[in-house]
Amino acid sequence: MSDSYDVIVIGAGPAGYPAAIRAGQHGLKVACLDEWKNLDGSHSFGGTCLNAGCIPSKALLESSELVHRAHAEFATHGIRLTTVEVDLAQMQKRKAGIVKTSSQGIQVLFKGAKVTGLPGHGRLLPGRQVEHSAPDGTKTVLQAKHVVLASGSTPMALSSAPFDGERIVDSWGALEFAAVPKRLGVIGAGVIGLELGSVWRRLGAEVVMLEALESFLPMTDQQLAKEALRHLKKQGLDIRLGAKVTGAVVKGGVVEVSFADAKGAQSLSVDKLVVAIGRRPQTAGLLADGTGVALDERGFIRVDNDCRTGAENIWAVGDCVRGPMLAHKGKEEGLMVADRIAGQHAEVNYKTIPAVIYTAPEIAWVGQTEEQVKATGRPYKTGVFPFLASGRARAMESTQGFAKVIAATDDDEILGVHIIGPLAGELIAEAVLAMEYSASTEDLQRTIHAHPTLSEALHEAALAADRIAIDIPNR
Ligand code: FAD
Ligand code: AMP
């Protein structure tokens, strides 16, 4: 029967499409349904990450960082520019091109793995059936041996500052501005807010970020958070902590934002307002009655450690289940589930999921923060190496930040690595691999790092943990 599959995946974001491809690689008959709609109404695969998240944000971060460097650093390199002109239309065109190429790439990958990509909405019915509603309205019921739910997440709205798609926008809207706003407000100084605020600040906007919490990046090692706040403020991001937004209205083309801070009720006028207060799981219209799939109190699909929902052969992965809302976390869950469906053993090591914030300097970490290690009571040591002491960082004119290694004193096991500095998101990969193999600081100390490279910072931080660093004095 042509409408019967071994595996049906609902959602083709970074959790769903790898699950579909891996299942296809195992020789299973696979369909992957996705309902994503671009702003022009067209369909594309890739989910939030590819169409409105990771990829377009990194494209604009890259372009805007070059603008910043042209203004702030080229002269130091001995490159004189008479003017630096921003062509935002071209910048947006480049970004759109990258998104389009990436999405089309998924179709090519689907073809290669013999996955049937089906645009349209999927709804899980009892008995491992999936109702597929195609964009033309046609409904078909498909049968599967296994179903993988990978429906992702959507931006959280603030009821007192409702999106109007024009002046008050979500993160997707903030990636699509056709002109640089003169004054930009951002609600929420989390990862997404900071990346979007950085883009528009570098392109010339006055950016005010209102963050309800008193602490900055509370999930981050606080030594890094402190360093990050200092650099970001220096770049002109007006980050106000302890500022809880209570409302926003558009009046005469201007957004009037009300917020409360330690001094009481305040207000702020901006031209555009980005609401970046977090994301919530997307499960609307996903589950018919009687499927046996349950949601938790926050609306996430309930799963065990292996991403089983509890309903027979129904799995769920990515942003729609517990854990950090990160593309690579979803990808690993998707691969694990596809391997398990094929009868192989596979698991996700939730202790070694790296996190990256693509500000300048970049912030990246894996494992426990110093605060978390301290709370366990286990004796530990730390080694810190500043990029100022790195020859390569100096050559790059990128000396901000440091690499920090936290390790157990008793058996030398690396417990956490935290990097703020140039290409921290790339450098953290070595630490992830080290921790995946339960490496000690001595393992890192005895690993040869090419010179001059930024990776030497991690080598030196590991040496510094035992006060035997070479390129900085040991205290
Ligand atoms: P999604 O990417 O949300 O994909 C789910 C897909 O399922 C969507 O296409 C949706 O339309 C479809 N769908 C939902 N329900 C149905 C249904 N019933 N039927 C059919 N289709 C359905 N993460 C990182 O790791 N690194 C980053 O740098 C990063 N940057 C980000 C920047 C921004 C601005 C944003 C918003 C997010 C960023 N993220 C980043 C987070 C990342 O995008 C998510 O963690 C990731 O997309 C989650 O993948 P997913 O496959 O679970 O869900
Ligand atoms: P993240 O969860 O990393 O996406 O970050 C979202 C941030 O938005 C968190 O740090 C929240 O504290 C913050 N936030 C949520 N609601 C408000 C609000 N009403 N005003 C200001 N900040 C908020």
Side-chain angles (χ1 to χ4, degrees):
M1 183 180 160
S2 65
D3 287 348
S4 161
Y5 293 89
D6 294 317
V7 183
I8 295 179
V9 182
I10 302 182
Y17 85 78
I21 289 173
R22 175 58 59 84
Q25 289 168 345
H26 284 305
L28 299 168
K29 187 180 173 197
V30 187
C32 184
L33 280 58
D34 192 287
E35 66 178 351
W36 184 271
K37 258 209 189 99
N38 294 312
L39 295 173
D40 63 4
S42 61
H43 172 268
S44 59
F45 291 111
T48 305
C49 175
L50 222 141
N51 295 295
C54 324
I55 301 303
S57 62
K58 266 77 254 178
L60 289 185
L61 279 159
E62 195 64 36
S63 300
S64 60
E65 176 64 5
L66 289 176
V67 174
H68 167 76
R69 299 195 102 166
H71 281 299
E73 287 172 19
F74 277 23
T76 314
H77 281 279
I79 304 168
R80 238 178 279 131
L81 298 174
T82 41
T83 53
V84 178
E85 216 176 295
V86 172
D87 179 350
L88 185 58
Q90 166 56 24
M91 223 175 252
Q92 292 287 25
K93 195 171 151 201
R94 186 188 88 97
K95 178 204 75 182
I98 294 165
V99 167
K100 195 168 177 194
T101 308
S102 311
S103 172
Q104 286 171 345
I106 293 182
Q107 297 187 51
V108 175
L109 297 173
F110 274 176
K111 216 171 158 196
K114 298 196 170 56
V115 171
T116 305
L118 296 174
H121 183 79
R123 191 163 74 108
L124 181 67
L125 310 175
R128 289 192 300 281
Q129 291 195 319
V130 174
E131 178 189 73
H132 171 229
S133 307
D136 66 3
T138 318
K139 285 190 196 302
T140 318
V141 174
L142 313 172
Q143 180 70 50
K145 291 184 185 147
H146 291 262
V147 178
V148 183
L149 306 172
S151 54
S153 63
T154 51
M156 244 151 34
L158 194 58
S159 55
S160 56
F163 297 125
D164 69 355
E166 165 63 26
R167 297 265 163 193
I168 305 179
V169 298
D170 62 13
S171 53
W172 193 4
L175 290 166
E176 300 295 330
F177 291 155
V180 179
K182 186 168 178 317
R183 298 164 303 174
L184 176 70
V186 181
I187 312 180
V191 178
I192 292 175
L194 285 170
E195 291 185 5
L196 295 170
S198 294
V199 166
W200 297 108
R201 173 68 205 134
R202 293 168 190 170
L203 296 179
E206 293 164 22
V207 178
V208 179
M209 305 194 61
L210 301 168
E211 168 54 58
L213 299 176
E214 294 288 348
S215 61
F216 183 59
L217 295 177
M219 68 297 195
T220 311
D221 185 284
Q222 286 303 291
Q223 194 176 351
L224 265 83
K226 224 168 114 188
E227 177 85 358
L229 187 59
R230 192 167 67 81
H231 289 299
L232 295 171
K233 280 191 164 177
K234 227 160 94 186
Q235 289 163 21
L237 283 177
D238 182 356
I239 299 168
R240 305 194 196 166
L241 300 175
K244 186 172 166 50
V245 172
T246 50
V249 284
V250 180
K251 264 193 221 150
V254 171
V255 190
E256 305 287 353
V257 188
S258 329
F259 62 98
D261 64 11
K263 291 190 211 124
Q266 311 278 343
S267 65
L268 175 78
S269 301
V270 291
D271 302 301
K272 299 265 189 192
L273 180 67
V274 183
V275 181
I277 59 166
R279 299 179 62 80
R280 68 149 158 259
Q282 157 78 306
T283 54
L286 178 68
L287 305 168
D289 288 342
T291 62
V293 175
L295 304 184
D296 70 14
E297 55 292 341
R298 294 187 302 152
F300 290 93
I301 297 172
R302 238 181 239 290
V303 285
D304 66 10
N305 221 36
D306 302 332
C307 293
R308 293 176 195 275
T309 62
E312 200 188 352
N313 291 354
I314 310 289
W315 312 73
V317 296
D319 277 14
C320 64
V321 305
R322 84 284 172 267
M325 287 182 156
L326 293 170
H328 44 279
K329 173 262 192 187
K331 178 179 183 179
E332 288 309 307
E333 289 180 334
L335 298 180
M336 169 183 72
V337 164
D339 287 346
R340 281 181 174 267
I341 289 172
Q344 296 187 352
H345 177 74
E347 51 189 44
V348 172
N349 182 357
Y350 287 96
K351 289 189 178 152
T352 55
I353 299 173
V356 183
I357 310 177
Y358 295 83
T359 45
E362 274 182 17
I363 302 162
W365 70 93
V366 58
Q368 293 173 282
T369 63
E370 186 167 352
E371 292 75 24
Q372 287 167 335
V373 175
K374 201 179 269 175
T376 66
R378 189 172 178 189
Y380 68 93
K381 56 189 176 181
T382 63
V384 173
F385 182 81
F387 282 102
L388 197 58
S390 153
R392 186 66 192 277
R394 284 201 300 269
M396 291 169 67
E397 201 61 33
S398 292
T399 53
Q400 296 171 341
F402 53 82
K404 173 177 178 177
V405 172
I406 308 169
T409 319
D410 46 18
D411 64 1
D412 200 32
E413 184 190 356
I414 299 168
L415 303 173
V417 174
H418 306 269
I419 304 175
I420 175 167
L423 297 176
E426 302 295 331
L427 297 178
I428 204 67
E430 179 184 356
V432 176
L433 189 68
M435 287 185 66
E436 185 64 37
Y437 284 87
S438 305
S440 62
T441 55
E442 188 182 351
D443 291 324
L444 273 188
Q445 290 166 0
R446 294 189 185 278
T447 300
I448 301 173
H449 291 71
H451 176 77
T453 60
L454 296 172
S455 69
E456 287 171 294
L458 188 52
H459 186 221
E460 285 284 327
L463 292 165
D466 287 328
R467 306 296 174 259
I468 52 170
I470 300 302
D471 290 337
I472 48 165
N474 292 285
R475 292 193 198 96

